[in-house]
Amino acid sequence: MKLSVNGTPRDVDPSRSPTLLAALRDQLELTGAKLGCDHGECGACTVRLNGDLVYACLTLTAACDGAAVQTVEGLADGGTLHPLQQAFITHDAAQCGYCTPGQLLAAAALLDQRPHPTDDEIRTAMSGNLCRCGTYPKIVTAIRSVADASGASATRADAPPSATGDAP
Amino acid sequence: MSGSRDAKSARFVQTIVEVEGRTETRIVEVPAFEPAPWTADAPLTIVGTSPPRVDAFEKVTGRARYTADTVRPGMLHAVIVRAPIAKGTLTSLDLTTVRTLPGVRGALGPGDAPSATRLFRREVSYAGQPLAAVCAESLQDAERAAAVLEASLAFDRVPHAVTVDDAIAADAPLVRRGGNATEPTIVERGDVTQGLADADVTITREYRTPVALHSALEPHGAVCEWTGDHLTIWESTQGIFRVRSDVARALDLPQGQVRVLKDYMGGGFGAKNGAGAHTYTAALFARALGAPVRCLNDRRAEQTDSGNRPATVQKVTVGARRDGTLTAIVLDALVPLGVSGWDGGPAQVYHEMYACPNIRTTETCVYINASGMQAFRGPGYVEGAFALEGAINALAHALQIDPVALRLTNLATRDDRVDREFSSNRLAECYAEGMRRFGWTSAVPPRPSTVSRLRRGRGVAAQTWPTGGGPPAYANVRINSDGSVDVLTGTQDLGTGSRTILAQIAAEALGARLDAVRAVIGDTERLPYAGNSWGSMTTPSVGPAVRMAADDARTQLLEAAAQLLETPVDRLTTRGSQVLRDGVAARSFAELCRALGKLQIVGHGSRGPNPALAVVTVGAQFAEVEVDAETGIVRVLRLVAVHDAGRIINPALAESQLHGGIIQGIGYAVFEERHIDRTHGAPLNANLHDYKVPTMADIPAIDASFLDGADPAANHVGARGIAEPPIIPTAPAIAAAVADALGVELCALPLTPWRVLGALAG
Ligand code: FES
Ligand code: FES
C-alpha cells in the first residue's frame, strides 16, 4: 500500500501495522509522532492526513491508501525550520518535548485554517494535545508570535484576564 | 564550608542532605578546593540569561530519541500481564498455549523471575500487579498473546481493602502480614496542650486529598540488550545509577556489567526513580532469548501501577491569640500508601512553615490493596500544605485578619524542624511582590454575594521545600583540541533543562562561549556519578560540581597558556573562548589547544559538603477563581506566583518549571483523582480520558516570577532547586479562593462540581 509521507512516496504493509502510528514508527522509522496512550487520549501521536489533524493511533493504516501524511519530520522546509518550530525554540515551548511534535502539527493546522486566532481559539483548538510538563502558556505565546508576525492583527477581545491586577 | 584543604583537615566528613523532604546523613569527600561563591552581585554574563534549551532543535524536529523510540536490530517486544483483581491467589494460567501463538518467542510466569525482582508472584495484593509476561517479534503479536494469557488466568479471590476506611475498619482484611496500619510517627515540640489553652481562637478541620497520578506522557519503559554477560539498558529514568544498582542487585550481577543509558525522556515527576517491572522483564527475556527486548507500559499500566501521590486524611487544629500569633498546631494524619511505599509525610511542612512554639504531628501510614505510592513532585508537602494552608486561611477568616498579614505575623525566622538557621529565606518579600503583582489589598474582603450565579473569589497560600541538594555529585570538564568543551556528568534531564543550565554554568566558569559547550549526560559507564534527579536537587548538587570542574579546567588552561605566551598567569583571564592577556584577546581556546598539541585538559569537580544551615525554596501564590453556583464548575481565572530560589541560572527555563508545577497544581486542585472500584478493587479511570489532567483550555493567565538574588551560603553557585516548590501552594490558594467566592470552605480535593454543589447545598 502506498502513502505519501512528508512528500515522499512510501510503501507500508497495513497487516503488520494496523494503525498509522505503528506504520510510521515501526515500518518507516519516523518516531517523531509519539506513542502516549494508543487510545486517542493524549494527542502525542498527532499527524496531518491530507491536511487534516488526526490521532495516528486511532487512524487505520488500511484507510490511508494513497493519502498524504505529514509528520513533524516534514514540518521544516529543507534546512529551514517552520516558523512554529522556531517560535517553540525561542519561547521555550518544549520541556520534555514528548508532546511537542503533536503540538506543532496541531498548531500548524490551526494557523492554516485561522491565520489570526484569538487566544481563546488557540486554547480550544489545542486542547486535544496534552502536555503534562505544563508548557501550555509558552505554546500559546509561541503560536501567538507566529500569528502576529504574519501580518493582519487579531482581535483579542475574548482573551482571559491578565494575571496581574493592574491590567484591564 | 569552602576554602582550601590543608594537610590536617579531614578528607571525608559527614554532611546532611535532604532528599524529597527526608533528611539523610552521608559521608562525603571534601573537594580539593572549592571556588569562591558567586555572590548576588557577581558579574556573570551567561548564568542568569535565557539562551534557548541546547536540545530544543532536536525536540521541535522530532529528532530527539526517547526510550519509547529506541530500536535495536532484531528487537523483540515484551508485554506484562497484570492482575485484574485486588487480592487473592493466582491458581492457574496457560503459558503453554501462549508459547505456541504466532510470533511468540517466550513467556514468563510465577517462579520464572529471580525473587529480588518481586515479579510474577502468585499472591495478588493489588489490581495491576504483574503476574506474567510474553515476548514476541512484534508488539502486536505480544499484545495478542498477552490477551490470550490474561483470559487464561484463574484466581481464588479473597476480600480486599482499597480505601483507607476499609483498611482500618475493625474486621478489615489483612493487606500486609504485619497489619494494615504502621505505628504512628509522633513529632512534637513545645506543649500543644498548653498552646491550645493559650489560644483565643481554635480552628479544627478534616481535610482529604486524593490519589494523584504522575501521568508522564512517555510511559515507563526500557530496552535491554545483552552482549555476553554485559547488559545495556536504555531506560526512561530519573536515576541512571539507581537503575544500575537496582538491576545489578536483582539479577545478581556486578554493577560493572550493567550499563544504563538515558538520552531524552518524556517526563518523570518522581515516578521514574529506579528500575521497575518493565526493566526486569525486558532484561530477563533479552537474556533468555539472546535478542534485544523492549518493554513499555501501556497507558492503562501507566495509570495503574507506576506510582502515585498517596491520599491523605488530615485532621488539623490550629490555635492563635486574637492578634494572630499562633499558639499551637496539631495534626493527626492517615496516609494510605498502597501495598508499599515510604511515608511521604504530610507532617513535615507543619514543622517548618510557621514560627509556632507548640506543634504535634501524628502520622499513621495505612496499607491498602492498591499499587504502591512513589514520590510525586513535592511529596508530602503538597498534601500537607493543602491542609495546613487551608487551616491558616480558615483561621484568618475566623480572626478577621488578612491571610497575608496573619502569615507575616507567624513567619518562620529559622527552621525549627531541623533546628538550623536558614541560608536565606525571603518569603516576606515573595508575599509583598505577589500582592503587588496580583493587586491584593490587605482589607478583609466583604462577604461574598450569595445571589449571583458566577461568584468570584481570591485566595493565597505559601510554600517551603528543602532544596539544598548536596553531595555526592561529580563532573569532569574536558577541553577538546579544537577548543570545544564537553561537560561530563552522570545526571539526567527530565525535561527540566539540566543539560542547558549545566552547559551555562560550565561556560560561565570556564570563560567559554555557550555554543562551544556541550553537556554529556545519561550514561553510567562513561560518566562520573551524579545522583537521581529528584527532590529539586540537580541544580544545587550537580551545578557546583560542574562549576568546580570548569574552574579546574580553566586553571590548567591558563597555566599552560602562561608557558606558551611566556606571561605570568595572573595577567591572563578567559572570556568568550579566548585567553586574554591584560584584558586583550591573545589566543582563542582553539588556537591555544592546537598549539598545545595532544595535551588533554580535564578539570575535575565534586559537590562539597553542605553548610550547617537549612536551605529552602519558598514562595507565595495568589489565585482568583470564578465558581458557577449552578453547575458547580470552578474556573481558575488567574494565578500569580512569586518564589525565591536563590540564583536563577536560566530565567526562561525556570519560569517553565513554575508553569509546570502550577499547572499540575491546578489539576490536583480541580480535576485529578484516581478512582478504584470499592467492590471489585480495580481502577475505574486508568486512562487519560477519565483521569483528567489539565488541558490548554483549562489554563488561566499565569504570572510566575522569581525574586532576584543569589544564595551564596547554600552553595558556591548560589542556586537552590525549583522543580517541586511551585506545585505546593497552588491547590490551597485555589481552595481559599473558592471558599472566598462561596462563603463555604471545601476541605476535600479535587474541587469537582459535585463537591462544590454539595458544599453549597450545605
Ligand atoms: S497516542 Fe494517540 S492520542 Fe495518545
Ligand atoms: S513538554 Fe513534556 S509533555 Fe509537553
Side-chain angles (χ1 to χ4, degrees):
Chain A
M1 193 190 105
K2 293 223 182 305
L3 284 178
S4 158
V5 181
N6 300 325
T8 309
R10 303 292 297 261
D11 269 320
V12 296
D13 173 1
S15 71
R16 277 171 49 214
S17 304
T19 68
L20 178 60
L21 181 62
L24 291 169
R25 290 173 58 84
D26 301 341
Q27 291 189 42
L28 304 181
E29 289 173 20
L30 291 170
T31 55
K34 298 298 177 209
L35 178 67
C37 68
D38 219 19
H39 282 82
E41 300 161 10
C42 73
C45 63
T46 303
V47 299
R48 297 183 75 177
L49 184 68
N50 298 327
D52 293 337
L53 273 189
V54 295
Y55 287 161
C57 72
L58 291 187
T59 304
L60 291 177
T61 310
C64 298
D65 200 359
V69 178
Q70 187 188 32
T71 70
V72 71
E73 289 92 343
L75 207 49
D77 182 5
T80 312
L81 291 180
H82 187 284
L84 280 165
Q85 289 175 307
Q86 190 54 54
F88 269 52
I89 294 176
T90 306
H91 296 285
D92 198 38
Q95 290 190 40
C96 78
Y98 203 75
C99 70
T100 308
Q103 305 279 6
L104 282 164
L105 289 161
L110 167 67
L111 293 187
D112 281 355
Q113 273 175 6
R114 295 192 68 89
H116 301 288
T118 63
D119 281 5
D120 252 16
E121 284 167 345
I122 294 174
R123 283 170 217 272
T124 306
M126 299 294 294
S127 63
N129 290 76
L130 298 180
C131 174
R132 189 52 162 165
C133 297
T135 315
Y136 300 132
K138 298 205 168 173
I139 295 174
V140 176
T141 307
I143 296 173
R144 174 95 266 138
S145 77
V146 173
D148 288 351
S150 73
S153 66
T155 159
R156 300 183 63 181
D158 58 349
S162 151
T164 47
D166 47 16
Chain B
M1 218 176 273
S2 60
S4 60
R5 184 169 90 208
D6 62 47
K8 282 180 298 220
S9 63
R11 175 125 188 251
F12 293 92
V13 297
Q14 282 195 355
T15 194
I16 290 178
V17 179
E18 297 214 45
V19 184
E20 299 287 24
R22 289 170 296 162
T23 303
E24 291 177 7
T25 301
R26 291 180 182 168
I27 306 293
V28 299
E29 187 179 353
V30 181
F33 74 95
E34 282 207 280
W38 279 333
T39 52
D41 55 1
L44 308 182
T45 57
I46 298 171
V47 164
T49 66
S50 296
R53 279 172 206 257
V54 293
D55 49 12
F57 179 84
E58 283 69 22
K59 288 174 179 167
V60 302
T61 53
R63 290 184 203 189
R65 283 257 165 176
Y66 297 75
T67 299
D69 303 331
T70 302
V71 177
R72 301 293 301 165
M75 187 176 79
L76 306 174
H77 300 264
V79 170
I80 295 172
V81 173
R82 296 169 181 276
I85 66 163
K87 195 166 169 57
T89 306
L90 175 66
T91 52
S92 71
L93 77 171
D94 183 1
L95 292 169
T96 318
T97 305
V98 163
R99 290 196 177 101
T100 66
L101 295 175
V104 171
R105 297 280 297 274
L108 297 170
D112 293 338
S115 60
T117 64
R118 304 181 65 76
L119 283 183
F120 313 141
R121 288 174 293 168
R122 284 188 183 273
E123 292 309 309
V124 176
S125 53
Y126 65 94
Q129 182 182 316
L131 298 178
V134 294
C135 189
E137 277 152 25
S138 71
L139 181 58
Q140 216 188 325
D141 288 340
E143 282 172 344
R144 271 199 210 114
V148 172
L149 186 54
E150 205 173 323
S152 79
L153 304 177
F155 301 93
D156 270 345
R157 287 182 84 131
V158 295
H160 55 250
V162 295
T163 68
V164 64
D165 304 296
D166 287 351
I168 58 173
D171 55 349
L174 216 51
V175 177
R176 299 234 305 203
R177 260 188 284 281
N180 290 357
T182 61
E183 277 303 305
T185 305
I186 301 170
V187 180
E188 180 160 14
R189 71 167 180 254
D191 178 348
V192 291
T193 311
Q194 188 58 48
L196 289 172
D198 292 345
D200 296 319
V201 176
T202 62
I203 291 283
T204 297
R205 298 281 186 278
E206 184 179 288
Y207 295 92
R208 288 192 173 229
T209 63
V211 172
L213 303 174
H214 301 72
S215 311
L217 223 50
E218 181 191 29
H220 287 66
V223 176
C224 289
E225 178 172 325
W226 291 81
T227 313
D229 53 7
H230 282 64
L231 171 61
T232 303
I233 304 172
W234 289 260
E235 168 100 31
S236 179
T237 182
Q238 299 174 230
I240 52 172
F241 284 95
R242 176 85 176 269
V243 171
R244 183 177 74 155
S245 61
D246 284 353
V247 171
R249 197 181 316 112
L251 303 188
D252 198 19
L253 293 167
Q255 289 188 359
Q257 288 179 21
V258 182
R259 179 183 187 188
V260 180
L261 295 165
K262 188 208 80 84
D263 200 0
Y264 290 90
M265 77 186 277
F269 314 118
K272 294 180 176 171
N273 276 320
H278 57 281
T279 325
Y280 302 129
T281 300
L284 293 171
F285 275 131
R287 181 159 65 183
L289 300 171
V293 174
R294 182 161 85 193
C295 185
L296 303 177
N297 273 358
D298 64 13
R299 183 48 62 184
R300 185 173 174 81
E302 191 66 15
Q303 303 301 102
T304 303
D305 189 28
S306 71
N308 59 75
R309 182 191 303 287
T312 64
V313 181
Q314 299 175 63
K315 191 171 162 221
V316 186
T317 300
V318 293
R321 295 188 199 280
R322 194 143 306 288
D323 67 359
T325 312
L326 287 170
T327 59
I329 302 176
V330 186
L331 165 73
D332 267 292
L334 288 174
V335 187
L337 300 175
V339 289
S340 61
W342 47 276
D343 176 9
Q348 202 160 295
V349 67
Y350 287 78
H351 293 277
E352 54 190 17
M353 194 67 215
Y354 295 106
C356 175
N358 310 303
I359 300 178
R360 185 180 66 221
T361 60
T362 307
E363 278 176 310
T364 306
C365 294
V366 179
Y367 296 109
I368 60 171
N369 291 114
S371 176
M373 58 76 70
Q374 304 258 351
F376 184 174
R377 205 171 196 161
Y381 282 55
V382 167
E383 303 90 292
F386 172 68
L388 175 62
E389 292 294 274
I392 294 293
N393 283 324
L395 180 67
H397 192 260
L399 289 166
Q400 287 292 293
I401 296 177
D402 173 70
V404 176
L406 177 66
R407 286 173 166 85
L408 290 171
T409 302
N410 295 291
L411 209 60
T413 53
R414 65 192 304 281
D415 193 330
D416 286 324
R417 181 179 68 84
V418 292
D419 192 22
R420 288 183 161 185
E421 303 305 315
F422 291 117
S423 63
S424 161
N425 187 329
R426 298 167 64 200
L427 181 55
E429 287 173 68
C430 294
Y431 286 124
E433 179 65 7
M435 288 167 78
R436 191 185 68 74
R437 285 172 173 265
F438 188 85
W440 182 275
T441 50
S442 287
V444 177
R447 292 238 155 234
S449 150
T450 50
V451 288
S452 65
R453 173 175 168 180
L454 296 178
R455 302 179 195 170
R456 289 196 176 192
R458 299 168 154 211
V460 61
Q463 73 58 223
T464 183
W465 174 254
T467 50
Y474 302 91
N476 294 332
V477 166
R478 179 172 65 198
I479 307 180
N480 299 312
S481 62
D482 61 355
S484 64
V485 179
D486 297 327
V487 179
L488 307 166
T489 177
T491 187
Q492 42 277 314
D493 188 333
L494 285 52
T496 52
S498 56
R499 242 191 211 104
T500 306
I501 62 138
L502 295 176
Q504 285 181 261
I505 290 170
E508 183 77 56
L510 187 56
R513 288 195 329 268
L514 181 61
D515 63 7
V517 179
R518 173 179 79 122
V520 183
I521 60 176
D523 181 352
T524 56
E525 190 162 285
R526 311 270 161 95
L527 299 174
Y529 177 85
N532 275 40
S533 294
W534 59 9
S536 305
M537 292 183 67
T538 303
T539 303
S541 303
V542 186
V546 166
R547 184 184 166 210
M548 180 183 162
D551 251 37
D552 187 18
R554 180 174 169 277
T555 303
Q556 295 178 44
L557 185 72
L558 288 180
E559 284 172 0
Q563 292 297 317
L564 203 76
L565 300 173
E566 297 177 358
T567 306
V569 75
D570 57 8
R571 286 172 51 199
L572 301 178
T573 54
T574 54
R575 191 169 64 228
S577 290
Q578 305 265 344
V579 171
L580 283 59
R581 181 169 39 204
D582 301 325
V584 179
R587 291 276 197 292
S588 70
F589 283 11
E591 290 164 340
L592 203 59
C593 290
R594 216 174 297 128
L596 292 171
K598 296 269 183 282
L599 186 96
Q600 167 140 297
I601 293 177
V602 180
H604 300 286
S606 62
R607 172 60 154 84
N610 276 338
L613 294 166
V615 180
V616 295
T617 289
V618 294
Q621 294 184 9
F622 298 79
E624 180 166 3
V625 302
E626 184 174 81
V627 187
D628 185 325
E630 265 172 42
T631 64
I633 290 172
V634 173
R635 226 178 109 213
V636 183
L637 295 179
R638 61 192 184 105
L639 215 138
V640 170
V642 180
H643 294 260
D644 178 38
R647 164 168 285 108
I648 301 303
I649 312 294
N650 182 317
L653 270 55
E655 182 189 48
S656 293
Q657 286 286 295
L658 292 188
H659 286 166
I662 290 164
I663 289 168
Q664 286 182 354
I666 291 171
Y668 188 64
V670 188
F671 307 116
E672 295 183 35
E673 178 167 24
R674 179 193 72 186
H675 292 288
I676 293 187
D677 183 278
R678 204 170 147 230
T679 311
H680 296 286
L684 291 169
N685 59 345
N687 59 62
L688 292 171
H689 269 312
D690 302 312
Y691 182 88
K692 301 278 183 205
V693 305
T695 72
M696 200 181 284
D698 302 313
I699 299 313
I702 298 172
D703 170 20
S705 63
F706 289 99
L707 298 181
D708 283 336
D711 186 357
N715 59 64
H716 57 75
V717 168
R720 302 191 298 256
I722 55 169
E724 285 157 298
I727 192 180
I728 297 171
T730 309
I734 290 171
V738 170
D740 181 41
L742 300 179
V744 190
E745 284 171 51
L746 275 75
C747 295
L749 291 179
L751 302 169
T752 56
W754 291 266
R755 289 212 170 91
V756 169
L757 294 178
L760 281 174

